[in-house]
Amino acid sequence: MGPLVKPGSPAVPSTNLLSPASATQGQKLLRTQSRAFMSEDGLPQPIEFFIASDAAAVVEHTKRVLYLEDDDIAHIAEGELHIHRLRTNAEMGGSTPTGRGAEQQRIIETLEIELAEIMKGKFDHFMQKEIYEQPESVVNTMRGRINFDSNKITLGGLKAYLPIIRRGRRIVFIACGTSYHSCVATRAIFEELTEIPTSVELASDFLDRKTPIFRDDVCVFLSQSGETADTILAMRYCLERGALCVGVVNTVGSTISRETHCGIHINAGPEIGVASTKAYTSQYVALIMMALQLSEDRISLTERRNEIIAGLHALPQQIAKVLNNDKALQEMARATLKVSRSLLIMGRGYQNATCLEGALKIKEISYMHSEGILAGELKHGPLALIDENMPVIIIMTRDSLYPKVQSALAQVTARKGAPIIICGDDDPAVSDGHYTSSRGTYKAIVVPSTVDCLQGILNIIPLQLLSYHLAILNGFDVDFPRNLAKSVTTE
């Protein structure tokens, strides 16, 4: 059998485990030995097993892996691997009558990832590398799925289920953390393009409330790893109730990708840093593409769809342009935000999710209290926090809600606040890195302007870079922040 990837263990090779001597003495291949490991003359080769919690941990040693399923027990002895079941398939709800303890067969899979993808290369940290990979990762998410000449979207994983999704009574997004924020970011465009009622749920709260789910609901589950415990439990809850379950994951072969009816792989590549960066932007793009494909039969929305597809075409170059501003953001983190104990980030509409995600990144890796606030809620409490000592970032890119965010800016500046403003390069109030209003001139972070529903992808990148630089300035471990894990595999 092949090298073994076993959940919950460090990547350590076993001692030299060779095929039994009898197998190499001209005898036939044993039933328990794989034909994947044979020499040219048909004899079994010596096999070395590596046991790890993640396939990325063994890619430098082998690309052939075997994934254990829930309740599998692997037994390695005398160069042979045997897999047994802790519980019967009937107890697990399976249809095949496999008994308790019966030996199982598992497919040896070949990893697609390259060693260079999980190395830092020229970068100091994995998080920095992953932020800078975003121009390529969003291209990989779109590759083979968007024809920019004909403005056509093709998501192969959803193709057979599109009529069922279009007939659904409602769409329910279920996720945790950063994946939840990508759902919040795209909820409005789903409602606009599909005209299907759309809700967004935190997986843990969804389960706590025992939320009613019906057969004509479409439940979409987002997870970078595909192994998030709360999201998996919510998925099984929905499957039991007969809903159509759609998975949006980054990891091929993960639990969510195996157990949902259909789905989308975001193809962002391996993400090592605990704080998710490129997976967020790729999830965002994947959900936008899903909304576009669901609406392709609506002629009245053709112009809007073509505008969004043109925006997706220009996105990689615009992300690269934002990344070129890194030095100015590093200086801003050093001069303005390093000494602060708290930070408020405000926006509304499509940018509400950007505020929540930006605040989460700053909490995760720079250990600074930060809060994403919907600008429309400012007068309902948060305005009491504003004074000359409270750092505030306001996201003011030009869309239909721009005048309302200007009103929030006036409220902040009237209380002697000195906000940093994230604004578009098409804003006439911006010049030389500053935003000028009737009350004064304020520091600005200028980003390229794009379609309103895609603007959040460009606006989150300065906040990712600010959180990174704040963590570095304070001497914190960027890739592995305290108390956190990359995959949350417990409730």
Side-chain angles (χ1 to χ4, degrees):
M1 298 297 284
L4 169 71
V5 176
K6 176 183 176 185
S9 303
V12 289
S14 64
T15 55
N16 274 336
L17 295 170
L18 307 179
S19 301
S22 60
T24 60
Q25 293 171 356
Q27 296 188 9
K28 289 182 179 179
L29 188 73
L30 297 180
R31 185 177 63 83
T32 52
Q33 294 171 328
S34 170
R35 287 175 173 77
F37 295 87
M38 291 172 61
S39 62
E40 290 180 3
D41 53 1
L43 295 176
Q45 291 279 81
I47 306 169
E48 189 175 17
F49 294 91
F50 292 86
I51 301 170
S53 60
D54 193 288
V58 296
V59 73
E60 61 182 298
H61 304 291
T62 179
K63 288 195 175 182
R64 288 184 283 196
V65 300
L66 184 148
Y67 294 97
L68 290 186
E69 296 180 6
D70 288 351
D71 291 293
D72 276 356
I73 296 176
H75 176 237
I76 303 171
E78 297 180 344
E80 291 188 18
L81 166 67
H82 302 265
I83 296 173
H84 303 275
R85 296 291 285 165
L86 187 63
R87 290 190 284 171
T88 66
N89 272 16
E91 289 172 346
M92 295 286 290
S95 55
T96 51
T98 307
R100 183 185 288 107
E103 193 165 334
Q104 304 290 299
Q105 288 187 328
R106 297 281 179 266
I107 297 169
I108 297 171
E109 298 185 28
T110 302
L111 295 175
E112 298 290 332
I113 59 175
E114 298 295 330
L115 186 58
E117 292 183 77
I118 56 168
M119 304 298 281
K120 291 178 193 170
K122 64 180 182 180
F123 297 98
D124 297 327
H125 300 89
F126 284 112
M127 182 181 177
Q128 185 187 27
K129 174 176 179 266
E130 285 150 14
I131 291 171
Y132 273 84
E133 280 177 346
Q134 286 174 113
E136 291 79 41
S137 63
V138 297
V139 168
N140 289 337
T141 304
M142 295 187 280
R143 180 172 282 121
R145 292 167 166 172
I146 304 183
N147 184 328
F148 291 108
D149 297 325
S150 61
N151 286 340
K152 186 166 178 60
I153 310 276
T154 307
L155 295 171
L158 296 182
K159 202 169 185 180
Y161 290 87
L162 287 173
I164 302 171
I165 298 172
R166 289 185 182 123
R167 287 199 305 269
R169 183 168 70 166
R170 61 175 176 161
I171 298 173
V172 183
F173 288 105
I174 301 165
C176 302
T178 289
S179 297
Y180 170 78
H181 295 152
S182 63
C183 299
V184 174
T186 51
R187 172 172 56 185
I189 198 65
F190 265 88
E191 290 174 335
E192 179 188 339
L193 293 180
T194 67
E195 294 186 359
I196 300 171
T198 305
S199 63
V200 180
E201 301 280 355
L202 283 164
S204 54
D205 182 55
F206 175 85
L207 290 164
D208 292 345
R209 297 191 340 258
K210 295 184 171 61
T211 309
I213 290 291
F214 305 99
R215 285 191 306 175
D216 50 359
D217 289 337
V218 177
C219 299
V220 184
F221 301 90
L222 274 86
S223 169
Q224 188 281 135
S225 65
E227 302 291 347
T228 310
D230 284 319
T231 310
I232 289 170
L233 289 172
M235 174 191 67
R236 289 172 180 160
Y237 174 93
C238 296
L239 284 168
E240 285 170 11
R241 283 154 182 78
L244 176 69
C245 293
V246 181
V248 180
V249 299
N250 190 32
T251 310
V252 178
S254 60
T255 302
I256 291 175
S257 72
R258 290 198 313 268
E259 296 189 15
T260 46
H261 295 106
C262 58
I264 306 168
H265 284 115
I266 65 171
N267 300 332
E271 191 176 63
I272 310 296
V274 168
S276 183
T277 49
K278 65 177 182 178
Y280 173 77
T281 48
S282 286
Q283 284 174 339
Y284 198 133
V285 169
L287 290 176
I288 292 282
M289 290 193 297
M290 182 178 170
L292 289 168
Q293 179 149 36
L294 288 172
S295 67
E296 68 185 0
D297 58 343
R298 302 173 69 91
I299 296 170
S300 60
L301 294 170
T302 302
E303 189 178 337
R304 174 69 163 154
R305 289 179 71 259
N306 292 347
E307 180 190 21
I308 295 168
I309 291 169
L312 287 169
H313 187 258
L315 199 59
Q317 292 77 23
Q318 291 178 317
I319 292 173
K321 195 174 175 183
V322 178
L323 292 170
N324 290 337
N325 202 26
D326 191 11
K327 283 280 187 287
L329 292 166
Q330 186 176 2
E331 185 53 40
M332 185 177 286
R334 180 183 289 109
T336 310
L337 300 173
K338 184 190 172 187
V339 294
S340 303
R341 298 292 303 276
S342 189
L343 172 65
L344 302 181
I345 307 176
M346 298 178 193
R348 64 187 296 165
Y350 286 107
Q351 303 315 316
N352 179 36
T354 309
C355 298
L356 296 173
E357 174 62 11
L360 178 64
K361 285 290 150 282
I362 289 164
K363 277 180 247 189
E364 272 184 301
I365 61 166
S366 57
Y367 313 149
M368 179 199 290
H369 169 258
S370 55
E371 193 175 345
I373 295 172
L374 187 66
E377 288 291 295
L378 197 56
K379 290 183 180 177
H380 296 274
L383 197 57
L385 293 169
I386 304 296
D387 61 19
E388 63 272 22
N389 300 316
M390 173 62 76
V392 177
I393 295 176
I394 300 180
I395 303 177
M396 276 187 61
T397 40
R398 293 176 75 85
D399 57 22
S400 60
L401 299 174
Y402 182 73
K404 294 185 177 181
V405 187
Q406 280 183 312
S407 171
L409 172 64
Q411 295 294 328
V412 170
T413 53
R415 273 78 181 175
K416 298 181 180 174
I420 296 168
I421 297 168
I422 298 178
C423 48
D425 56 9
D426 62 346
D427 196 320
V430 178
S431 66
D432 197 27
H434 288 81
Y435 182 94
T436 305
S437 75
S438 56
R439 289 186 175 272
T441 301
Y442 306 100
K443 289 181 182 176
I445 299 170
V446 183
V447 296
S449 295
T450 184
V451 193
D452 54 2
C453 64
L454 299 177
Q455 190 69 56
I457 296 173
L458 299 174
N459 291 352
I460 192 59
I461 293 167
L463 296 174
Q464 292 173 348
L465 289 167
L466 277 176
S467 65
Y468 172 78
H469 292 308
L470 283 170
I472 296 297
L473 289 167
N474 288 301
F476 300 135
D477 187 338
V478 176
D479 289 330
F480 306 105
R482 65 190 183 203
N483 309 335
L484 299 176
K486 180 63 181 167
S487 298
V488 184
T489 53
T490 57
E491 289 182 67

